[in-house]
Amino acid sequence: MSDASANAAPKPKKPRVNVRRPDVMERVAAEVAVHFHSSIVEKLKDRGGKVTIGNTTVLLAQQFGFCYGVERAIDLAYASRRVFPENRIFLIGEIIHNPDVNHQLREMGIVSLPWQEITPDYDDLTEDDVIIVPAFGAPTHFMKKVEERGSYVVDTTCGDVMKVWRRVRNYAKEGVTSLIHGKANHEETRATSSRALGEKGDGHYLVVLTLTDTDYVCDYIRHGGDKEEFLRRFEGSTSPGFDPDLHLQRVGVANQTTMLKSETEEIQRRFHQAIADRDGTDTAFQVFDTICGATQERQDALFEMLRTKMDLLLVVGGYNSSNTQHLVEIGEKSLPTFFIRDASCIKSLDEIVHYDLHHKQEVSSPYSELLLGDKPVTVGITAGASCPNNLIEETIVKVFSLRGVDHSELERL
């Protein structure tokens, strides 16, 4: 970073850019359809999500794939390139958690900026540059940095995420600590945590991920404990200056919008009970339902699909997609479940490459006993809210092709 850049006065703040012009969006719709649409998936939806050819049946969950918030974010990113054909366009991190979608944006010359921390790349931004804020949102200090540089801003933050921000800001205003159910290093949770500091920066938050974390905090709420041990355990998951003896007196629960609904509800219940046990009343506890509607719909649809007997379940999506990971967690409790990035992970009837959530790595597993031979087989397929239909189609085609069914038979549905 040059001295001139370091000492330059802040640029005037520009208003958010409206790129949703009718002429632009017509072109965007056509481009997005080319990249991500699937005629086969639409045909299966029209058939109730079930197709049987020969001795192979594929079931689609009733709700899967792109949600409205994701579609909007992608549309706005595509529109940005149409409205600013000659400008440099940058994206804070990834637009969504899907490698195929992010690859398409790179092909359009949209460059990802680091999202873990503000780097010198941000000092090089100019008034002519365009900054896309992803669907997860971005922490407040990132937004302030962009505003200082005077760049154009195209904000694709999901409306469900902004509802959570309003809730945690209110908590901070009322002197209530935000207990956030989420992954501390997830983009959305980091953005939410920054809003939990409030307008004056004096608010507080604590991020908890598991029921084990929750029980530890609940025990501290009821009985107190070793403050230093508490802070070591939750290092990186608390607001600056967090003191569990002070900041667990009045609490309000919020969450990363893509968490497992049942787990969030259980965490809410346990915190509620801990406050009531300590105080004899629950007046120091607040809660607000902030689970994303699309996340809930996809989880509910999978639970419904699991009532049908299936031989295996394929969950398609980016490995770093939180809502997709929770679909895998639901499925693997009932039947063999494979978390795949796309159809290329299905190598043959003898091998599937998939992401192991428990060991946090991609592994290769044999599954010949499930698909080899002539016996009837039923394969369930679902996908997270950030997975495009073209990847789901490719998975359907791959399953049928390995079972001896030609692609043309699916086209004739």
Side-chain angles (χ1 to χ4, degrees), residues 1-2 43 71 75 138 154 161 188 194 225 291 299 315 355-356 399:
M1 180 176 65
S2 67
K43 289 176 182 178
E71 289 179 342
D75 286 351
V154 177
V161 173
E188 181 191 325
S194 71
I291 284 288
Q299 292 175 8
V315 181
Y355 190 74
D356 186 323
V399 168

Side-chain angles (χ1 to χ4, degrees), residues 9 56 94 109 143 160-161 194 240 243 290 314:
T56 304
E94 298 180 327
M143 300 308 300
D160 284 323
V161 173
S194 71
D243 183 339
T290 53
L314 299 174

Side-chain angles (χ1 to χ4, degrees), residues 73-82 84 87-95 101-113 130-133:
I74 293 171
D75 286 351
L76 290 174
Y78 273 62
S80 298
R81 177 46 78 200
R82 301 297 154 240
F84 297 97
N87 298 59
R88 297 195 306 174
I89 301 182
F90 297 94
L91 168 66
I92 300 176
E94 298 180 327
I95 193 74
V101 173
N102 288 298
H103 171 75
Q104 289 293 345
L105 297 189
R106 288 194 297 273
E107 290 292 300
M108 294 163 58
I110 297 176
V111 178
S112 288
L113 291 170
V130 180
I131 310 302
I132 301 175
V133 181

Side-chain angles (χ1 to χ4, degrees), residues 106-125:
R106 288 194 297 273
E107 290 292 300
M108 294 163 58
I110 297 176
V111 178
S112 288
L113 291 170
W115 63 269
Q116 293 91 344
E117 59 183 15
I118 294 177
T119 64
D121 302 86
Y122 288 83
D123 292 303
D124 294 333
L125 298 175

Side-chain angles (χ1 to χ4, degrees), residues 82-355:
R82 301 297 154 240
V83 173
F84 297 97
E86 304 300 328
N87 298 59
R88 297 195 306 174
I89 301 182
F90 297 94
L91 168 66
I92 300 176
E94 298 180 327
I95 193 74
I96 58 172
H97 284 154
N98 185 274
D100 191 61
V101 173
N102 288 298
H103 171 75
Q104 289 293 345
L105 297 189
R106 288 194 297 273
E107 290 292 300
M108 294 163 58
I110 297 176
V111 178
S112 288
L113 291 170
W115 63 269
Q116 293 91 344
E117 59 183 15
I118 294 177
T119 64
D121 302 86
Y122 288 83
D123 292 303
D124 294 333
L125 298 175
T126 72
E127 293 176 316
D128 294 323
D129 292 332
V130 180
I131 310 302
I132 301 175
V133 181
F136 320 105
T140 53
H141 59 289
F142 279 75
M143 300 308 300
K144 289 177 182 176
K145 185 65 175 180
V146 171
E147 289 170 1
E148 286 173 4
R149 304 309 302 153
S151 304
Y152 294 100
V153 174
V154 177
D155 193 345
T156 80
T157 305
C158 175
D160 284 323
V161 173
M162 289 192 283
K163 288 179 184 177
V164 182
W165 293 355
R166 287 194 291 271
R167 176 57 49 172
V168 297
R169 282 195 184 106
N170 285 336
Y171 286 160
K173 189 181 299 183
E174 298 168 5
V176 173
T177 296
S178 293
L179 298 178
I180 303 170
H181 176 211
K183 301 172 182 177
N185 289 320
H186 189 282
E187 297 97 312
E188 181 191 325
T189 299
R190 290 187 60 181
T192 297
S193 297
S194 71
R195 271 78 184 179
L197 297 176
E199 298 299 331
K200 298 179 180 179
D202 57 356
H204 287 282
Y205 65 82
L206 169 68
V207 180
V208 295
L209 177 60
T210 67
L211 292 174
T212 301
D213 288 340
T214 301
D215 287 341
Y216 182 94
V217 178
C218 286
D219 186 66
Y220 201 100
I221 288 172
R222 291 185 177 98
H223 310 295
D226 186 329
K227 182 192 301 187
E228 297 306 315
E229 179 188 273
F230 185 105
L231 294 175
R232 283 195 299 272
R233 180 185 180 106
F234 291 102
E235 184 178 2
S237 299
T238 62
S239 51
F242 185 88
D243 183 339
D245 293 336
L246 296 176
H247 300 128
L248 292 177
Q249 293 303 308
R250 299 176 65 206
V251 300
V253 179
N255 60 276
Q256 182 182 317
T257 60
T258 53
M259 302 306 287
L260 187 62
K261 178 187 176 185
S262 59
E263 188 170 52
T264 289
E265 290 176 339
E266 179 61 19
I267 285 172
Q268 292 170 351
R269 188 195 67 78
R270 294 188 188 188
F271 279 133
H272 186 186
Q273 188 61 54
I275 293 294
D277 289 345
R278 183 193 66 191
D279 299 344
T281 177
D282 62 1
T283 55
F285 175 81
Q286 296 186 40
V287 68
F288 181 73
D289 183 9
T290 53
I291 284 288
C292 160
T295 295
Q296 181 177 329
E297 289 172 355
R298 281 146 186 74
Q299 292 175 8
D300 291 345
L302 178 54
F303 281 119
E304 180 64 26
M305 187 166 74
L306 290 172
R307 297 172 63 180
T308 301
K309 186 181 184 306
M310 297 178 289
D311 296 289
L312 74 156
L313 176 68
L314 299 174
V315 181
V316 190
Y319 292 158
N320 58 342
S321 167
S322 177
N323 75 88
T324 310
Q325 290 177 8
H326 293 309
L327 295 176
V328 178
E329 292 171 357
I330 291 170
E332 65 185 9
K333 293 178 181 178
S334 300
L335 78 167
T337 298
F338 300 94
F339 185 4
I340 63 173
R341 186 177 57 254
D342 54 43
S344 68
C345 292
I346 308 175
K347 300 298 184 183
S348 67
L349 287 174
D350 299 306
E351 181 187 10
I352 183 167
V353 174
H354 60 104
Y355 190 74

